[in-house]
Amino acid sequence: MFEDTRPSTRSRTAFSMLGLIYHSIVRDIRKDSRNALVGLLMNMMQTIVFVTAFYFMFTVLGLKGNAIRGDFLLYIMSGIFLFLTHTKAMTAVFRSEGPSSAMMKHAPMNTIIAITAAALSSLYIQVLSMATVLFIYHVAITPVYIDDPIGAFGCLLLAWFSGAAVGVIFLSLKPWLPGFTQIASSIYARANMIASGKMFVANSLPSTMLALFDWNPLFHCIDQSRGFAFINYNPHYSSISYPVIVSVVLIMIGMMLEFYTRKNASISWEAAR
């Protein structure tokens, strides 16, 4: 009786999909905490704990001399923000609704919308947390100066996009290898504590050490973001194009695997989990 019998058009379909993505984003944000303010505060506290821990670690180990000349806390935050954005995007996409989920029983819903909503909800929380922490730091401690804020924010978006691309790979493999993907995603997130390069800059690394990190798209994102954030740093051993190319390739491979998984989805996959 309430079914919309009007002819479907591309614009109507696009607006319908955008509305569905919006409601899915709201659902994803409220999934962990019913109170949006509490969820934001918890995310901010995680960021502050990371920054504080790394600040004391750099101080105790005497590594401040390896940092870029400028605001030392901003140097730490430039790495922490991108690392958390990348990791949270990967985790959110990996944990999004799969092809055999109960949500997929609703006709307009599909895995593409679930992946997009999970990635965008993660970006929303991280950007809001980052802006709030920077505002508090700017007002309470010292004014924040970023040489090229647009370029630095672009690197943040690139870190988010590459994290979502890695998450799509893990998500497409999850129905086939649930145990392996759970362990592999955890190992990847833990390995990025070191491999992301947030504790040092690429220009200070010897060539033998650089080869251990330049495979990682997040390493390039963080190093390039510091080049935009600090006027005294010009990255020579990282690039913007590398994480873009790697992320697009991972997205294409992940979506092909996800399409194949969706065609062969079985309700029994979720029966034992």
Side-chain angles (χ1 to χ4, degrees):
M1 180 173 62
F2 299 102
E3 185 179 359
D4 190 356
T5 57
R6 291 175 295 179
S8 177
T9 62
R10 290 184 179 180
S11 60
R12 190 190 303 277
T13 302
F15 279 113
S16 176
M17 182 171 290
L18 288 175
L20 191 56
I21 290 174
Y22 169 77
H23 290 291
S24 299
I25 290 172
V26 174
R27 176 178 176 272
D28 282 336
I29 292 174
R30 298 179 69 90
K31 188 186 299 182
D32 295 330
S33 176
R34 293 192 176 186
N35 191 315
L37 182 60
V38 172
L40 176 62
L41 289 175
M42 291 296 293
N43 205 76
M44 285 175 53
M45 285 303 301
Q46 184 181 17
T47 304
I48 293 171
V49 167
F50 263 91
V51 172
T52 305
F54 275 89
Y55 177 81
F56 281 109
M57 185 179 70
F58 271 79
T59 303
V60 170
L61 297 178
L63 298 175
K64 281 189 174 183
N66 297 332
I68 302 171
R69 185 158 53 94
D71 191 334
F72 179 65
L73 269 179
L74 185 60
Y75 166 78
I76 294 177
M77 286 189 287
S78 65
I80 296 295
F81 288 153
L82 270 70
F83 164 74
L84 288 177
T85 301
H86 180 90
T87 305
K88 296 275 189 178
M90 183 272 293
T91 305
V93 172
F94 174 64
R95 293 179 178 175
S96 62
E97 306 287 347
S100 58
S101 170
M103 284 295 293
M104 300 304 149
K105 295 179 181 179
H106 300 277
M109 190 66 178
N110 57 55
T111 51
I112 304 299
I113 292 174
I115 292 170
T116 305
L120 290 177
S121 63
S122 169
L123 178 65
Y124 169 77
I125 290 293
Q126 289 304 125
V127 169
L128 195 58
S129 300
M130 180 190 68
T132 306
V133 170
L134 284 177
F135 175 77
I136 294 173
Y137 180 68
H138 178 82
V139 172
I141 300 178
T142 184
V144 174
Y145 173 76
I146 298 175
D147 183 51
D148 186 352
I150 297 177
F153 186 73
C155 289
L156 178 80
L157 294 179
L158 188 54
W160 163 77
F161 180 64
S162 60
V166 175
V168 171
I169 294 290
F170 286 132
L171 176 66
S172 61
L173 294 175
K174 183 167 64 172
W176 307 101
L177 303 166
F180 169 78
T181 51
Q182 186 68 43
I183 296 172
S185 62
S186 298
I187 291 175
Y188 177 81
R190 301 299 183 272
N192 265 330
M193 291 288 291
I194 303 297
S196 62
K198 62 180 179 292
M199 295 186 293
F200 42 79
V201 292
N203 287 4
S204 65
L205 293 177
S207 57
T208 54
M209 290 291 292
L210 191 63
L212 300 176
F213 301 99
D214 63 356
W215 60 269
N216 191 352
L218 182 57
F219 174 78
H220 291 260
C221 294
I222 291 177
D223 195 58
Q224 287 291 318
S225 72
R226 286 169 172 165
F228 289 115
F230 294 92
I231 195 172
N232 300 310
Y233 183 67
N234 184 23
H236 296 294
Y237 302 108
S238 61
S239 68
I240 291 290
S241 59
Y242 176 77
V244 172
I245 294 171
V246 171
S247 300
V248 171
V249 170
L250 290 178
I251 283 285
M252 296 301 293
I253 295 174
M255 294 312 298
M256 287 189 291
L257 289 172
E258 196 280 328
F259 177 78
Y260 178 79
T261 302
R262 194 192 329 159
K263 291 295 183 182
N264 295 273
S266 173
I267 299 176
S268 62
W269 284 348
E270 299 291 336
R273 295 190 279 273

